[in-house]
Amino acid sequence: GSGDVIQCMKEMVVLPLLYPEVFTSLGVSPPRGVLLYGHPGTGKTLAVKALVGACAKGHNKIAYFARKGADCLGKYVGDAERQLRLLFSLAEKHQPSIIFFDEIDGLAPTRSQHQDQTHKSVVSTLLALMDGIKSRGSVVVIGATNRPDSLDPALRRPGRFDREIYFPLPSLLDRTAILTLLTRRWQLPPTADVISLLARQTAGFAGADLQALCAEAAMNSLRRAIPLDDLLEDVEKKGNKDFVSSPNLNVNMLDWCVSLRKVSPPCSWRSAKAAVNIVPNGPLPSHLVPVFLWPMVYMIISLHVDERVVLPPVLETIAILLKEKMESHFGDSWMANIASILHGTMADCSKQKLEHEFETVFCGKGMISRQG
């Protein structure tokens, strides 16, 4: 999946490094920095590995330097700045080259009054190296983070990171392709129907979450095929690890169902749920109902249909009731009719009838105060 992301990275990295004459003929400066951001497990680091492999196929050899965000930080004052200058100097010496900073938010967070002077100096050094008076030549800097808002704003301007590429959560087709790829080397790969069903049941899962799901399903099958407790007990007693042959694993639907129940919820679910639950809430005064009723309906149902969000139980119940009432009035086009109501393009009789039903739902769940 992520065809748009792959195409964008080719244009921003592969083309300037392997074919710089294209930009020279156009009279423009090639891009020199790319920031990758998105949910954890969506393939940012994996995409850079694939990118390096693609660059190795060109007629020019590309040097590759990788650093974790905290790798450059040392215990002595000035050590981090010296390592950064040495890294960029080495990359310029072996250009064309790529410098990859994974989890770059740990290296260059937003400068503030509460930060010590040493950390501010590290951020300032990185800013100067990425866009200083001296040109760094054919050196592309790639940064990856799942918290782009915590990066220093000066780092995200054009000239340093010319492009920010968002890695989205995989769609239904992407999840189908990922599950097929992860299970293709199994002794008995799941059928296309099973893969399609799993893809529909894993909305909001990133690639890493799907990998954990497949590993858990395989472990469930292994537990059925081999009594692990007896096996470990025999190994401890006899000390012989070669007497057990590798079984033929057959992952069935029960194994998949158990793994769906046992695996940790994806990061996208946890972050969205945390964001929804920290919003302060209370009953809406009745005199404000005419103003906020339809925006409340639109917001709750939109969060309900968003596969990344897990609503609190009360809001989930309200969303289901609201959705049922909209479907009973408008059929399959109910979502489009909410937007038309908000813009005042629906008949007043239908609107008033629905408003009365919605108020009843909200009052029954304590979302609207019965007193002014």
Side-chain angles (χ1 to χ4, degrees):
S2 304
D4 295 340
V5 170
I6 294 171
Q7 182 64 27
C8 189
M9 291 189 68
K10 287 180 179 178
E11 294 173 357
M12 296 295 295
V13 180
V14 179
L15 194 61
L17 290 180
L18 296 183
Y19 309 100
E21 60 274 6
V22 174
F23 292 89
T24 304
S25 62
L26 293 175
V28 297
S29 300
R32 289 285 179 254
V34 181
L35 179 65
L36 315 179
Y37 69 100
H39 284 285
T42 49
K44 299 181 290 294
T45 306
L46 189 63
V48 175
K49 292 180 181 178
L51 180 70
V52 173
C55 290
K57 297 177 182 179
H59 64 273
N60 292 330
K61 297 300 181 183
I62 305 294
Y64 175 64
F65 304 90
R67 296 290 186 275
K68 292 287 186 181
D71 284 352
C72 297
L73 301 178
K75 63 180 180 179
Y76 299 110
V77 176
D79 191 29
E81 294 90 326
R82 182 184 64 83
Q83 289 194 41
L84 284 174
R85 286 192 291 267
L86 181 63
L87 175 63
F88 275 81
S89 174
L90 195 62
E92 291 173 17
K93 183 178 179 181
H94 295 87
Q95 59 181 293
S97 57
I98 296 174
I99 300 176
F100 176 50
F101 290 109
D102 200 4
E103 305 298 342
I104 193 173
D105 53 284
L107 179 65
T110 303
R111 290 168 290 181
S112 64
Q113 296 294 331
H114 306 289
Q115 217 174 33
D116 57 77
Q117 189 60 39
T118 303
H119 215 131
K120 291 181 182 178
S121 176
V122 174
V123 179
S124 301
T125 302
L126 181 61
L127 295 176
L129 288 171
M130 289 189 66
D131 188 23
I133 297 177
K134 178 185 174 184
S135 174
R136 64 172 187 262
S138 297
V139 178
V140 172
V141 179
I142 303 176
T145 179
N146 50 47
R147 299 182 59 192
D149 55 318
S150 65
L151 281 178
D152 193 87
L155 197 64
R156 301 179 64 181
R157 72 158 176 82
R160 293 191 174 107
F161 283 129
D162 299 280
R163 181 75 64 85
E164 296 184 359
I165 303 177
Y166 173 61
F167 278 68
L169 291 169
S171 63
L172 178 63
L173 293 177
D174 294 340
R175 293 194 298 273
T176 302
I178 292 171
L179 288 168
T180 304
L181 180 68
L182 292 173
T183 58
R184 66 177 180 177
R185 295 176 182 265
W186 287 9
Q187 295 170 344
L188 295 172
T191 63
D193 292 337
V194 173
I195 292 290
S196 178
L197 178 61
L198 290 170
R200 291 195 298 271
Q201 294 294 322
T202 51
F205 278 57
D209 301 316
L210 294 174
Q211 187 173 14
L213 177 68
C214 294
E216 184 62 31
M219 284 300 300
N220 292 333
S221 176
L222 183 63
R223 293 186 188 100
R224 285 192 298 101
I226 300 178
L228 295 182
D229 293 337
D230 297 340
L231 174 63
L232 294 175
E233 186 177 350
D234 291 342
V235 169
E236 290 177 359
K237 289 180 179 179
K238 302 176 182 179
N240 183 12
K241 302 179 182 178
D242 301 325
F243 65 92
V244 177
S245 60
S246 179
N248 293 324
L249 297 182
N250 181 16
V251 182
N252 57 29
M253 280 305 300
L254 179 60
D255 297 326
W256 287 112
C257 292
V258 173
S259 62
L260 279 170
R261 204 165 55 244
K262 289 178 65 176
V263 293
S264 302
C267 274
S268 61
W269 287 13
R270 291 196 292 266
S271 58
K273 185 176 181 180
V276 171
N277 279 279
I278 63 174
V279 176
N281 59 81
L284 181 70
S286 58
H287 67 277
L288 295 178
V289 170
V291 178
F292 291 106
L293 178 64
W294 283 107
M296 283 172 58
V297 172
Y298 188 76
M299 179 184 65
I300 292 175
I301 293 184
S302 297
L303 291 173
H304 172 69
V305 300
D306 190 340
E307 60 184 23
R308 300 168 299 173
V309 178
V310 179
L311 289 172
V314 175
L315 289 181
E316 184 69 21
T317 304
I318 292 175
I320 293 173
L321 293 173
L322 296 177
K323 180 181 175 182
E324 289 175 353
K325 292 188 178 298
M326 291 296 293
E327 286 178 338
S328 64
H329 278 77
F330 304 108
D332 295 336
S333 61
W334 58 273
M335 194 65 185
N337 280 280
I338 294 181
S340 64
I341 290 170
L342 288 174
H343 291 87
T345 58
M346 180 161 286
D348 290 339
C349 57
S350 300
K351 184 176 179 181
Q352 291 174 0
K353 185 178 180 181
L354 276 173
E355 283 178 352
H356 177 71
E357 294 183 8
F358 290 160
E359 284 187 41
T360 304
V361 172
F362 283 121
C363 288
K365 298 298 180 180
M367 292 285 289
I368 293 179
S369 173
R370 297 183 183 276
Q371 298 179 354

